[in-house]
Structure formats: structure tokens, C-alpha cells
Amino acid sequence: MDLGFTTEQEMLRETAAKFFANECPFDVVRELEESEDGFSPNLWKKMAELGWLGVLFPEKYGGYEGEFIDIVIIMEEMGRAAFPSPFLSTVIECGLVIIEGGSEEQKKDLIGKIAEGDMIMALAQYEEEVSYNASGIKLEAKLSGDQYVLNGKKMFVIDANIADKLIVVSRTEAGITLLLVDAKDSGITCNKMPTIGMDNNCELIFNDVKVSKSDIIGEPGKGWEILEKMFLKAIVAKCAEMVGACKVSIDMTAEYSKERVQYGQPIGGYQILQHYMANMLLGYDTSFNYLYKVTWMIDQGKDCALEVSALKAQLNEKLKFITERAVQIHGGVGTTREFDIGLFYRRAKSHEYILGDTDYHYEQVAKGLGL
């Protein structure tokens, strides 16, 4: 197993790092967080021009047929920049669902638009009890003639407020079914939810929303199998974003500890803070290496469901630990909008619950080990 990076991958990382540093410094991140849309359409189109929105997809559908590691590198740099965008929801979650289960017509119609930056999508999965399991899907899609009718609510739908299309995880007589829904349908009410991460989390209320049978993704009752194929890559991509957040939190805290003087010397000279920093760096190093081991396994087509859950479970805790220690070293100002570390401290808790919290993934690891 070679965990080194090729010249092309190093160039991709350098390009991504420069793009985010130049186009979206932390002051711009704050502005986007506070905006109604929560992202920049201009920067979204620029990412499309760089080819990043089509990396995962086959050439015949308008993509660039890259390796999964390319996505991981981009997501890691996004994490370092705290970059707000619908990349995870559109390209990874919905894009992979379409690739895994969509018809040829759906792939030809949707994938090219995603790759060109002309379509934003959101996955409407979670409900009020916020279960990560198939049993948590209660929203019924009732068959009426040649259409399904949706009535009910979805919660924590990331980027629904800016989406053109939704993939709604529903329950039909056949079982869990994925429905492609127009996000602008008059029967849908979208309410943006205030969250600690200041991200685009939304509540969706469906009132007699009609969906054609031709807008099923995959077969009726086979939706969960499609989602499970997507989840593995989506979880690892999310972990890459979290690893990037870990690294930049350490870097900016190390720099601050050299500048902040207390009792006549920089606070970084005090042993207890050096212990903090050492433990933070250890947490990052183990997470970084494990991330790219799991990424390698995915690109090699190996079974890695257990490793993916182990990665997410420990990163949920490592990111919280690193950002909490970072804020402690900064002092009270670390939680304010004036200091950049606050961007990552707030998001650490938000990241934990996206695509499975710690308890859920520990349970998956236990099941995988037969415990």
C-alpha cells in the first residue's frame, strides 16, 4: 500500500489551496455564512471551470473520470478553508446516488449539469427523530394513479434552500424509494434552520407534492441499497473535510501561541500548552494517515465499511478535541467572530452529526467485528 501522492495529486492540492486562500479568505467565509444563500454562485462556477464538480463522474456523462483520492484532496483543502459550498450535497451525495442508481436518461440529464455548475441538489433523508438507519424513514409516498404524493416533513436537509432538485428518501408500499423532486414545487415549504455551524440546514414540509413514476431513482423499494453505496464515499469525503479543519486549527493555534505574550514570554513556551499542542498534532497525524489508507482501499475496490465507520467515529472526537484545545489556548477571544479559530470550533459539533455521529459509527464497528 503506497500512501504517497503523485505529482498530479500534489499539483491538485496546491491548486486547491491557492484557490481557497485567494478566492475565499476567512473574512469572505464569515460574509457567506451570514448571507441567505450561504454560498457564492460565482465561486461555484469557478470550481466547475476547474473541473472539480465533475471529477467523480464518467466522461460519457460530462465528467472527468478521476480517482476518489482527487475528491478527498479537494475536500481536505475545503476543510482547511472552512469553505461554504454545496459540494458535499450536490456532487458527492446526490451525484453518486444518480451514478449508482439512476437511469441512463437521468444520468445524461443531471450529471452534466452538476459538472458544469448549472444544478444544485440536496438529499432529503433525515426526519424528526434523526435516525441514520433505514427504519428512520417514515415519510410516505402514496401512489395515486401514475404519480406518488408526498405529505410530511424532512429535517436537516443541507442546501435545500439553494437546490434546484431534491432526492427525497421516502417509503412506498415496496419499501424505501428515492424520488427526484423539483425543489421549487409550490407544495414544498423550505425553512432555513439556525444552527451552531451556520450552515444551510433546512426543514422541508411537503404538502401534496406530486412526483411522476419516471422520477424514481432506481427501483421502488431498492432505495436504501443505493444510499448505502453512496454513504461509504460520502462519509470519507466528509472526513477529509474534517481532517483539513484539524490541521488548520493546529497551525493557527501554534502561530497564536508564539505571538501571545503572558508574564513576559510567549505562551507557547509553557509546558502545559506544549503538551496540548503535542496531543493535538498526534490526533491529526493518526487521522490523516488513516484517512488516506481508507481512501486507497476505496480506489482499490476493497471492502472497507468497517474502516469507514472507524474513521468517522474517531474523527468526530478528534476534531472536537483539537478545536476545544485550540480555543483554550486562544482564551475567551477564540469563541468570538474576530478570531478564525471560532469558525472551526463551531463547526466541529456540526460535522459530527453529518453522515453519522460517534455512537452510530461505533455501533457499526461493533457489528462489523461481530460483537
Side-chain angles (χ1 to χ4, degrees):
M1 178 175 60
D2 181 9
L3 294 183
F5 297 103
T6 65
T7 302
E8 291 78 10
Q9 289 161 359
E10 293 286 7
M11 289 176 61
L12 175 61
R13 183 182 296 281
E14 183 179 350
T15 300
K18 287 181 178 178
F19 175 83
F20 295 125
N22 294 334
E23 299 285 351
C24 196
F26 291 132
D27 287 344
V28 175
V29 172
R30 291 183 183 87
E31 292 176 9
L32 294 177
E33 281 187 335
E34 294 166 0
S35 70
E36 186 60 31
D37 286 346
F39 89 119
S40 166
N42 180 47
L43 293 180
W44 184 247
K45 289 297 288 187
K46 287 184 178 182
M47 290 170 65
E49 291 167 6
L50 287 167
W52 295 348
L53 307 189
V55 167
L56 272 178
F57 308 134
E59 289 184 13
K60 66 179 180 177
Y61 301 127
Y64 298 97
E65 211 146 350
E67 295 182 306
F68 182 63
I69 191 173
D70 299 329
I71 284 291
V72 170
I73 290 170
I74 293 169
M75 285 294 291
E76 188 186 348
E77 293 305 319
M78 279 189 190
R80 291 176 191 247
F83 181 69
S85 83
F87 193 88
L88 179 71
S89 57
T90 299
V91 176
I92 298 174
E93 291 185 328
C94 292
L96 285 177
V97 164
I98 295 164
I99 290 296
E100 294 291 348
S103 65
E104 280 297 305
E105 183 180 350
Q106 288 168 340
K107 291 174 185 177
K108 290 176 181 177
D109 178 43
L110 299 173
I111 294 300
K113 291 178 182 177
I114 291 174
E116 292 297 320
D118 294 330
M119 177 171 287
I120 293 173
M121 300 186 69
L123 177 67
Q125 176 186 346
Y126 304 124
E127 301 183 16
E128 289 181 291
E129 67 179 53
V130 198
S131 170
Y132 299 107
N133 298 306
S135 59
I137 306 301
K138 308 293 186 185
L139 178 66
E140 285 189 310
K142 295 185 177 180
L143 191 59
S144 177
D146 61 349
Q147 293 180 317
Y148 287 99
V149 180
L150 292 169
N151 282 288
K153 184 186 294 186
K154 287 288 185 180
M155 303 289 290
F156 310 107
V157 185
I158 299 177
D159 298 319
N161 60 313
I162 54 174
D164 302 297
K165 293 282 187 181
L166 304 169
I167 295 178
V168 180
V169 186
S170 63
R171 189 170 290 278
T172 64
E173 292 182 356
I176 293 177
T177 303
L178 305 180
L179 299 176
L180 187 64
V181 179
D182 182 0
K184 310 303 182 185
D185 189 290
S186 60
I188 299 176
T189 301
C190 178
N191 300 312
K192 192 170 176 179
M193 303 168 65
T195 63
I196 189 172
M198 294 183 72
D199 47 10
N200 279 342
N201 257 301
C202 301
E203 172 195 61
L204 292 180
I205 300 172
F206 298 87
N207 183 20
D208 287 335
V209 175
K210 297 177 176 60
V211 186
S212 170
K213 284 184 177 180
S214 63
D215 285 324
I216 293 176
I217 297 177
E219 299 177 20
K222 302 294 184 182
W224 196 255
E225 288 87 341
I226 298 170
L227 289 175
E228 285 184 319
K229 293 176 183 178
M230 175 275 289
F231 284 149
L232 285 180
K233 290 183 178 179
I235 291 167
V236 176
K238 187 64 184 178
C239 287
E241 183 182 5
M242 295 166 73
V243 164
C246 287
K247 184 61 166 66
V248 74
S249 297
I250 293 170
D251 289 346
M252 66 175 61
T253 303
E255 192 64 30
Y256 180 80
S257 71
K258 296 173 186 176
E259 297 173 353
R260 176 76 167 94
V261 174
Q262 188 72 28
Y263 301 114
Q265 68 171 329
I267 62 173
Y270 293 105
Q271 191 174 48
I272 183 60
L273 298 191
Q274 292 174 359
H275 287 170
Y276 273 13
M277 293 296 297
N279 287 332
M280 291 160 67
L281 186 59
L282 181 62
Y284 162 74
D285 282 343
T286 54
S287 298
F288 176 86
N289 288 311
Y290 197 41
L291 167 69
Y292 281 97
K293 173 188 174 181
V294 176
T295 300
W296 175 84
M297 293 178 74
I298 288 176
D299 272 333
Q300 294 295 315
K302 296 181 180 294
D303 182 8
C304 58
L306 189 150
E307 286 82 2
V308 167
S309 281
L311 175 66
K312 182 63 162 64
Q314 61 92 25
L315 251 174
N316 285 342
E317 301 307 308
K318 293 286 175 59
L319 180 56
K320 287 188 294 184
F321 171 80
I322 288 170
T323 55
E324 285 168 3
R325 291 294 183 271
V327 165
Q328 284 186 358
I329 293 172
H330 277 77
V333 294
T335 61
T336 68
R337 294 289 278 172
E338 297 176 33
F339 279 74
D340 297 333
I341 188 60
L343 295 170
F344 301 93
Y345 177 63
R346 287 187 294 98
R347 292 179 181 215
K349 194 65 178 177
S350 176
H351 287 323
E352 176 186 359
Y353 290 103
I354 296 173
L355 292 162
D357 62 11
T358 303
D359 289 343
Y360 169 78
H361 282 293
Y362 277 147
E363 289 176 6
Q364 300 311 301
V365 171
K367 289 177 183 178
L369 294 173
L371 301 177

